[in-house]
Amino acid sequence: MPLPTPGAPLTGACRCGALRMEITAPPFMTAACHCTGCQRMASSAFSLTMMVAADAFRVTEGTPVTAGAGSPDLTHYACPDCHSWVYTQVTGVDFVNLRSALFDDPTWTRPFMETQRAEALPWVPELAPHGFDRFPGMESFPELIAAFAAERL
């Protein structure tokens, strides 16, 4: 059974609502990441994310601050008031990773792929139809994106 993808624009907010955001195009991928960095930043067993073209994303209220040290290739952004981790930008790619649970209706955001399963806590079941012990190579993304789109039709 196909999964729904809601129409755009979609809106969301951090926990306190001081930082609001909008996307004007549907995500091209949803994922759960099990790396220890995401576990710590999300204070959970994994983080949920949706990937959206950078030009389809904007902060509509508030000014995010950079948060969390990690890789020099990643910049994490958070609300300056409640410190909720809101999104991540990866150097050299034209998309944004948004924390999908922050959107006003996150019910449709089931992860399509899982990354860093090698670091998953042992009691976390597989959550998605596609799983990777580490991050998939960029050469895997065209096929994954096409499969994600086909599932959402």
Side-chain angles (χ1 to χ4, degrees), residues 46-81:
F46 50 84
S47 71
L48 294 175
T49 189
M50 63 180 175
M51 299 169 195
V52 176
D55 63 358
F57 167 73
R58 72 184 184 106
V59 173
T60 58
E61 290 180 39
T63 302
V65 295
T66 57
S71 160
D73 298 332
L74 301 174
T75 304
H76 302 293
Y77 293 91
C79 171
D81 295 333

Side-chain angles (χ1 to χ4, degrees), residues 1-6 10 23 25-32 48-53 96-98 100 106-114 127-130 132 140-153:
M1 175 183 223
L3 293 173
T5 298
L10 296 174
I23 60 173
F28 61 85
M29 183 63 60
T30 57
L48 294 175
T49 189
M50 63 180 175
M51 299 169 195
V52 176
V96 178
N97 281 325
L98 303 167
S100 54
T107 58
W108 58 272
T109 63
R110 187 190 88 189
F112 185 74
M113 74 170 175
E114 292 178 83
L127 304 169
H130 302 275
F132 301 90
S140 301
F141 272 87
E143 186 176 325
L144 285 166
I145 291 167
F148 177 80
E151 182 182 86
R152 302 290 170 148
L153 297 177

Side-chain angles (χ1 to χ4, degrees), residues 33-44 46-47 68-70 74 76 85 116 119 135:
C33 182
H34 296 274
C35 78
T36 56
C38 281
Q39 290 172 12
R40 290 178 179 149
M41 284 192 70
S43 188
S44 183
F46 50 84
S47 71
L74 301 174
H76 302 293
W85 177 26
Q116 299 296 93
E119 297 179 29
F135 291 109

